[in-house]
Amino acid sequence: MKKGLFILTAAAILMTACGKKEEAVVEKPKKPVVASQVKKEQVSDIYTTDGTIVPQEKVNHTLDTQGTVSTVLKKNGDFVKKGEVIVKFTDAKAESNYDAAKANLQSTKNNFEKFNKLYEKQMISQLEFLNYRDAYTNALANYTAKKSNYDKLTRKSELTGLVGNLNLKSGNIIEANSTVFTVVDENVMEITVDFPGYWLSTLNEGSPVTLMVSDLGGKEFDGKIKSINPIADSETKKFPVKISIENKTKELKDGMYTKVVIPTEKREGLIVPQQAVFIRDLLSYVYKIEDGKAKRIEVVTGATIKPNIEVISEELKPGDLVVSDGIFGLADGDEITINNETK
C-alpha cells in the first residue's frame, strides 16, 4: 500500500514538472529621444505690460469757424502730401470778415505810408503819426486772423500720410473747432507704457523691446526704447517709457492693442530648449539623461530667450543632457537611446 502511494505521488510530481513551461524574459525596448545640452548663458528678466499703438506723426485737422461743406476731394485711406486740399467749405461770415479786414488793411496801410512821409518831414506831430501806425498794426493783426479762418475754408493737409476720420458730405454744416479729418504718418509707430522704478536703471534709449499685437493674431514686432521720462506718473507711481516701432509692412494701425515685453537686468543662468520643459500637475519638469535613463527633475522656469528658456534646479549643471524631443510617453526611469548628435 505504501509502495503504491509513493508511485502515485512521484508520477504526479513528474506530470506537474512536465506541464510547466519556462517563462520567457521580455526586455523593455529603449525609447529613442533627442538630447540637448544644458548651457550657461546671459539671460534677462522681463517686464510685461500692454497698451495702444499710435502713429508718431498724427494731425487732427479742425475748422476754427462754422462752415458748410462745399467739396470733398479725398476719402478715408487716401495717401496725401502736405499741402494737398482735402475739403472745401463755405462760410458767409468768415468770407465777409476776410473781405472787410482786407479792405481795412489796405486803407490803413495807405494812411500809414502817407503820414509816415509827412512825419519824416516834420509836418505832423508824433502823436498823429503813432495813431496811424497803431491803426495799421492793428489792422494787420486783424487781417492775419481773418485770413487764417478764411484760408481754412479750403482745408489742406498739414502732414504727408493717410487720410482718416473723413466722414463729410456736401452740405454738411460743421460747428467751429470741430475735427473734420485726420492725417497719420504710419512709417513709424509708438507706444507709451508705465515702467516700475525698481528696474528703471536697467533701461537705456535704444534698448530692444518685443511687441505682440493682439489684432494681428499675436504677431511679433521689434521696437526700441525712444525716451525714458525721469519723473514718475503721480497716479501709477511708474515712469512713462516711449517705444518706437518701424512699421515697414504698414500692418500696424492707429489704436491697435499690443502686449509689450521689455528685457531688464542681465545675469547668468542655465538654459534649455523650450520644448524640453513639460508640465505635470502645475509643476515644471525636465528629463535629465543619466546612465542611459531618463530622470525626471523638477525645475523652476525663468526668463524666456527664444527658442530657449531659463531653468533653475540644484540637480542641473552646464553640460548635462536633457531630453528635448521624445518626451511624449516617456516616464521616469525609462531607458533611452539618443538618436541625434548632442545639440
Side-chain angles (χ1 to χ4, degrees):
M1 184 67 180
K2 288 183 179 180
K3 184 177 179 182
L5 181 60
F6 174 77
I7 292 172
L8 288 171
T9 303
I13 293 171
L14 182 62
M15 289 176 67
T16 302
C18 291
K20 280 187 177 181
K21 292 183 179 179
E22 186 177 341
E23 293 182 1
V25 178
V26 180
E27 290 188 8
K28 191 176 181 181
K30 295 180 179 180
K31 295 188 176 180
V33 299
V34 175
S36 297
Q37 274 192 346
V38 178
K39 298 178 181 179
K40 191 173 188 178
E41 293 186 1
Q42 273 201 335
V43 298
S44 297
D45 289 318
I46 60 172
Y47 174 71
T48 303
T49 184
D50 52 31
T52 303
I53 297 171
V54 298
Q56 182 174 285
E57 297 290 338
K58 175 180 178 179
V59 178
N60 291 320
H61 296 69
T62 60
L63 190 65
D64 292 346
T65 63
Q66 187 184 64
T68 301
V69 178
S70 172
T71 310
V72 181
L73 301 173
K74 301 292 180 180
K75 64 181 185 300
N76 285 324
D78 281 352
F79 175 81
V80 295
K81 293 183 179 180
K82 183 177 180 179
E84 277 194 64
V85 178
I86 310 299
V87 187
K88 291 183 177 181
F89 297 88
T90 60
D91 178 51
K93 183 177 180 180
E95 291 166 358
S96 64
N97 286 343
Y98 169 69
D99 290 339
K102 185 177 180 181
N104 184 52
L105 176 65
Q106 187 61 52
S107 174
T108 55
K109 182 182 178 183
N110 292 338
N111 287 334
F112 169 70
E113 290 175 347
K114 174 182 176 181
F115 286 96
N116 184 46
K117 293 178 180 178
L118 294 175
Y119 177 68
E120 289 175 349
K121 296 178 180 179
Q122 297 183 349
M123 297 178 67
I124 61 171
S125 67
Q126 184 180 36
L127 181 59
E128 286 181 287
F129 166 73
L130 292 177
N131 287 336
Y132 286 109
R133 187 197 66 179
D134 291 345
Y136 171 62
T137 301
N138 293 335
L140 180 60
N142 182 57
Y143 169 78
T144 301
K146 295 301 187 288
K147 184 177 186 300
S148 175
N149 290 337
Y150 175 77
D151 287 345
K152 283 185 178 180
L153 293 176
T154 303
R155 204 65 179 92
K156 301 177 181 179
S157 175
E158 299 173 18
L159 181 71
T160 296
L162 299 178
V163 177
N165 295 333
L166 178 57
N167 303 303
L168 302 178
K169 295 180 180 179
S170 295
N172 288 162
I173 298 174
I174 307 302
E175 296 299 323
N177 301 314
S178 298
T179 297
V180 292
F181 64 89
T182 302
V183 176
V184 296
D185 180 354
E186 294 185 332
N187 289 313
V188 180
M189 309 296 281
E190 63 184 26
I191 179 173
T192 300
V193 299
D194 290 331
F195 194 81
Y198 177 77
W199 281 320
L200 193 65
S201 62
T202 68
L203 294 187
N204 294 294
E205 288 187 12
S207 295
V209 174
T210 301
L211 295 93
M212 289 165 278
V213 183
S214 302
D215 293 316
L216 298 176
K219 185 174 180 178
E220 294 188 2
F221 292 83
D222 294 327
K224 291 183 178 180
I225 293 177
K226 180 180 179 181
S227 64
I228 304 167
N229 192 334
I231 302 172
D233 183 273
S234 59
E235 294 184 3
T236 66
K237 308 303 180 185
K238 294 181 179 180
F239 296 82
V241 173
K242 186 171 288 186
I243 298 163
S244 177
I245 313 107
E246 293 288 338
N247 192 19
K248 296 178 181 179
T249 61
K250 302 297 185 292
E251 292 177 89
L252 299 176
K253 301 296 180 182
D254 184 14
M256 281 188 170
Y257 177 81
T258 184
K259 182 179 178 182
V260 182
V261 179
I262 305 175
T264 58
E265 57 186 353
K266 292 184 177 181
R267 52 186 168 71
E268 287 194 329
L270 299 180
I271 63 167
V272 298
Q274 285 180 289
Q275 64 267 26
V277 179
F278 61 97
I279 309 295
R280 294 286 186 277
D281 299 324
L282 303 180
L283 298 175
S284 297
Y285 296 92
V286 297
Y287 279 121
K288 179 182 176 182
I289 299 173
E290 282 187 349
D291 302 324
K293 294 182 179 181
K295 180 181 179 181
R296 191 175 77 169
I297 293 176
E298 183 181 339
V299 297
V300 175
T301 57
T304 299
I305 318 96
K306 292 184 178 181
N308 300 314
I309 189 170
E310 180 188 14
V311 289
I312 303 167
S313 171
E314 293 182 356
E315 297 185 63
L316 292 176
K317 64 181 184 300
D320 285 344
L321 294 180
V322 296
V323 177
S324 57
D325 194 7
I327 292 174
F328 182 76
L330 195 62
D332 188 29
D334 282 352
E335 290 188 334
I336 54 96
T337 178
I338 300 174
N339 64 1
N340 71 309
E341 294 182 2
T342 302
K343 288 187 176 181

